[in-house]
Amino acid sequence: MSDLNYKVIIGLEIHVQLATQSKLFCACPNRFGDEPNSNVCPVCMGSPGTLPVMNKKAYEFAVRTAMAMNCEIARYTKWDRKSYYYPDLPKNYQISQYDLPLSQNGNIEITVAGEQKKIRIRRIHLEEDAGKLLHEGNVGFSQVDLNRTGTPLMEIVTEPDLSTPEEARVFGTELRTLVRTLGVSEANMQQGQMRLEPNINLVITKDGKQYKTPIAEVKNLGSLRALERACAYEIQRQLADWEKTGVTMETGFKSTRGWDEQTGTTVLQREKEEAEDYRYFPDPDLVPVVVEKDWLDAIRKSLPELPIARRARFQTQFCFSEKDATTLVEDRATADLFEQALSLGAPVKVLCNHFISFWAMHANQRGVSIAELGVSAPRMASLAKLVGDNKINNTTAAALAEKLLTCPDDPADIAQRENLMQVSDASSLEKILDEILIANAKAVEDARTPGKKQQKAFGFILGQVMQKTRGQANPQVVNQLLQKKLAEKN
Ligand SMILES: [Zn+2]
């Protein structure tokens, strides 16, 4: 066995579609799923003589994101043309930002297995998206849909600070949560609103010598799972490749690869020595952007509590585990719903329990978020209060929760109407308990004798009371009564 170890180096490029009403340089609607080529105009179709006008909202959304990622915001930026030919790009160039991005030098913290790590952000800039080629049906040719042409795309580039596939996935998750919290994108990955491109290579140390494998860039990953799998595959592939050929960064080429979801492998698309010549030059049709300090101050003031801070607060203030806090905060509407119910007087422990047990379960079963279940904060609060006030137990609460999904009434009204309120009244419970004790002399005997059978007999008697009361007896009250009765009979 030779002495070999390696370090993984991953950087990410992420494209996020911004949720503006209109496109980046024209007034066409920025909407997914419409009839092909219905949201187009001479500007986004690249007709000669048309002039682009920048969408200020898109710029603001990118600035919001950059601020949340602790980036320096440029006071002066410009637009550049990135020239290339492709059927989904009618102008033959894409408007982007080359040497003066709107922001750079930021960072974001991620937590992996309880450890915090700072990932540096190299730059965030804005550009327009291209259209889409459709290869549908067996028609023998491809069709072009230009609805997406010119929609605002935010590109986020990290430094190569990620060192495991898991870290890459966590970073992607964090970013998705962040842009959703900021309200700048829905980041729906199935609809291509967030696309990931990792750059991966290895630094191998063998017998005291270091070797760097050529960088591979995996294009257009459409899910966080694909990102993690593609990175893991690349590590093994590059390691095997190096062991077989010994090709390094110095002797080999940088490559662009695609991801094959079916086989779980990356496929070589092209090798290149240098970046293609995109012939970048400033777009003469657009004026440079000069940003006022007052405008930036106003944006900064409008930033909501960021996911990292909110998650930490959910853990310390409400005793959620890291995992549960992460899940809750991932959807801002759900986290807001929780805090609304709390402000309406729901007892915090009970509400936490409801959120991570049955509300999460119903949301999972329906493939929606808890906020999308359609149960309002007042009704969730009311249900939690019934438990907090000992009027119902958690079993009844779970049954009531299911009813709330289809019935618009307040849980307290349903509980009254259906006679579900918990029996805490000692005298009526005592009567029931007495009958059970008389009918089960053997269990009473066991319950009084210390030993193995004692616990079992105790449980049996409690179970009998629950059965008689259809699960509505307050277990604490029954427990106290039973202790008292057994002591008396001694
Ligand atoms: Zn247009």
Side-chain angles (χ1 to χ4, degrees):
M1 277 289 283
S2 64
D3 174 28
L4 184 150
N5 59 62
Y6 63 88
K7 209 172 85 187
V8 179
I9 299 175
I10 304 173
L12 279 177
E13 255 183 59
I14 302 178
H15 285 98
V16 177
Q17 266 179 18
L18 296 177
T20 52
Q21 296 290 310
S22 55
K23 293 188 180 180
L24 188 50
F25 296 110
C26 65
C28 291
N30 174 21
R31 217 166 31 223
F32 179 85
D34 283 4
E35 179 88 359
N37 299 310
S38 59
N39 299 328
V40 292
C41 73
V43 176
C44 57
M45 285 197 300
S47 298
T50 58
L51 284 175
V53 178
M54 185 192 83
N55 180 341
K56 192 176 174 187
K57 200 76 194 171
Y59 202 93
E60 182 193 320
F61 279 0
V63 168
R64 271 170 85 78
T65 312
M67 281 179 175
M69 297 181 104
N70 307 303
C71 291
E72 296 159 11
I73 313 294
R75 298 292 294 277
Y76 176 93
T77 57
K78 64 178 173 65
W79 302 98
D80 300 287
R81 290 186 178 182
K82 178 182 181 180
S83 306
Y84 68 96
Y85 171 80
Y86 207 67
D88 64 7
L89 188 77
K91 289 202 299 277
N92 287 344
Y93 65 83
Q94 176 191 26
I95 304 176
S96 182
Q97 297 191 303
Y98 184 52
D99 52 341
L100 295 176
L102 65 84
S103 68
Q104 49 190 337
N105 298 331
N107 63 71
I108 181 173
E109 235 167 53
I110 60 167
T111 306
V112 180
E115 296 276 314
Q116 286 187 340
K117 186 170 179 184
K118 212 168 242 183
I119 307 300
R120 290 169 300 155
I121 306 299
R122 183 178 298 169
R123 61 186 276 161
I124 298 179
H125 72 252
L126 258 183
E127 61 191 26
E128 55 177 355
D129 207 348
K132 238 192 248 176
L133 284 185
L134 307 172
H135 317 276
E136 280 164 14
N138 222 344
V139 290
F141 53 86
S142 296
Q143 294 167 297
V144 187
D145 175 10
L146 296 180
N147 280 353
R148 203 178 66 181
T149 312
T151 56
L153 207 54
M154 174 168 66
E155 181 173 317
I156 297 152
V157 184
T158 77
E159 294 293 345
D161 290 346
L162 300 152
S163 41
T164 62
E166 190 191 5
E167 283 183 12
R169 177 181 48 79
V170 171
F171 180 90
T173 312
E174 194 65 57
L175 183 68
R176 187 179 61 180
T177 306
L178 184 69
V179 295
R180 284 177 178 170
T181 303
L182 293 170
V184 303
S185 174
E186 285 158 33
N188 180 330
M189 300 189 70
Q190 273 96 38
Q191 295 183 3
Q193 291 170 352
M194 180 166 148
R195 286 139 27 206
L196 309 144
E197 295 178 349
N199 274 282
I200 309 151
N201 80 320
L202 309 176
V203 179
I204 300 169
T205 310
K206 192 183 175 189
D207 304 327
K209 266 186 159 174
Q210 265 197 0
Y211 307 89
K212 288 182 185 164
T213 58
I215 296 174
E217 180 179 318
V218 187
K219 299 300 272 184
N220 261 326
L221 295 169
S223 76
L224 294 163
R225 189 165 169 266
L227 171 67
E228 189 172 17
R229 288 176 72 205
C231 288
Y233 175 82
E234 265 307 303
I235 294 169
Q236 294 313 314
R237 184 193 68 79
Q238 292 187 18
L239 198 59
D241 219 44
W242 178 80
E243 283 181 320
K244 210 169 102 189
T245 65
V247 169
T248 64
M249 201 179 248
E250 289 76 25
T251 55
F253 295 105
K254 194 178 168 194
S255 65
T256 302
R257 305 181 72 88
W259 171 245
D260 186 332
E261 185 72 42
Q262 249 67 51
T263 58
T265 60
T266 64
V267 187
L268 181 68
Q269 290 178 336
R270 60 178 192 265
E271 284 187 327
K272 56 188 178 189
E273 214 163 349
E274 292 298 326
E276 291 101 311
D277 184 9
Y278 286 121
R279 209 163 47 90
Y280 277 104
F281 67 93
D283 192 313
D285 290 343
L286 281 157
V287 288
V289 184
V290 179
V291 177
E292 301 290 337
K293 186 178 174 293
D294 287 353
W295 189 61
L296 291 183
D297 289 344
I299 297 176
R300 203 175 285 282
K301 263 199 202 125
S302 76
L303 291 180
E305 183 182 23
L306 298 178
I308 295 170
R310 196 173 205 189
R311 194 158 49 227
R313 192 164 61 78
F314 270 49
Q315 278 175 258
T316 52
Q317 204 175 330
F318 311 136
C319 0
F320 279 113
S321 69
E322 187 193 322
K323 186 166 164 276
D324 291 330
T326 305
T327 314
L328 259 183
V329 170
E330 204 164 322
D331 183 61
R332 184 179 169 187
T334 298
D336 287 347
L337 180 70
F338 178 85
E339 299 214 72
Q340 274 164 25
L342 210 59
S343 71
L344 293 169
V348 60
K349 264 197 167 156
V350 180
L351 192 68
C352 285
N353 180 277
H354 289 183
F355 263 69
I356 61 177
S357 59
F358 48 74
W359 293 132
M361 180 193 77
H362 289 303
N364 278 340
Q365 280 172 356
R366 286 161 180 74
V368 297
S369 69
I370 294 177
E372 290 166 328
L373 281 172
V375 182
S376 65
R379 296 202 301 151
M380 284 189 173
S382 167
L383 184 67
K385 276 192 268 187
L386 287 174
V387 177
D389 296 345
N390 274 320
K391 288 185 177 154
I392 59 171
N393 57 32
N394 270 318
T395 317
T396 310
L400 269 174
E402 200 157 352
K403 289 178 195 286
L404 293 182
L405 296 171
T406 49
C407 163
D409 296 347
D410 189 89
D413 295 338
I414 306 176
Q416 273 305 350
R417 192 170 67 216
E418 302 194 4
N419 209 6
L420 297 173
M421 291 296 193
Q422 182 159 262
V423 184
S424 299
D425 162 32
S427 65
S428 61
L429 285 176
E430 193 169 1
K431 234 175 98 190
I432 296 166
L433 184 61
D434 279 339
E435 283 168 25
I436 290 166
L437 293 183
I438 290 163
N440 296 283
K442 178 76 179 75
V444 175
E445 185 61 42
D446 288 346
R448 269 200 266 133
T449 324
K452 269 189 194 166
K453 291 182 179 169
Q454 190 178 32
Q455 272 304 346
K456 219 175 148 190
F458 222 91
F460 170 78
I461 297 167
L462 266 176
Q464 290 291 306
V465 178
M466 283 299 172
Q467 210 173 52
K468 271 259 157 75
T469 57
R470 292 176 30 243
Q472 288 158 37
N474 180 332
Q476 277 107 33
V477 178
V478 179
N479 218 334
Q480 279 165 10
L481 280 171
L482 183 56
Q483 301 272 16
K484 199 181 88 187
K485 294 268 159 191
L486 291 173
E488 271 171 17
K489 291 201 173 182
N490 239 335

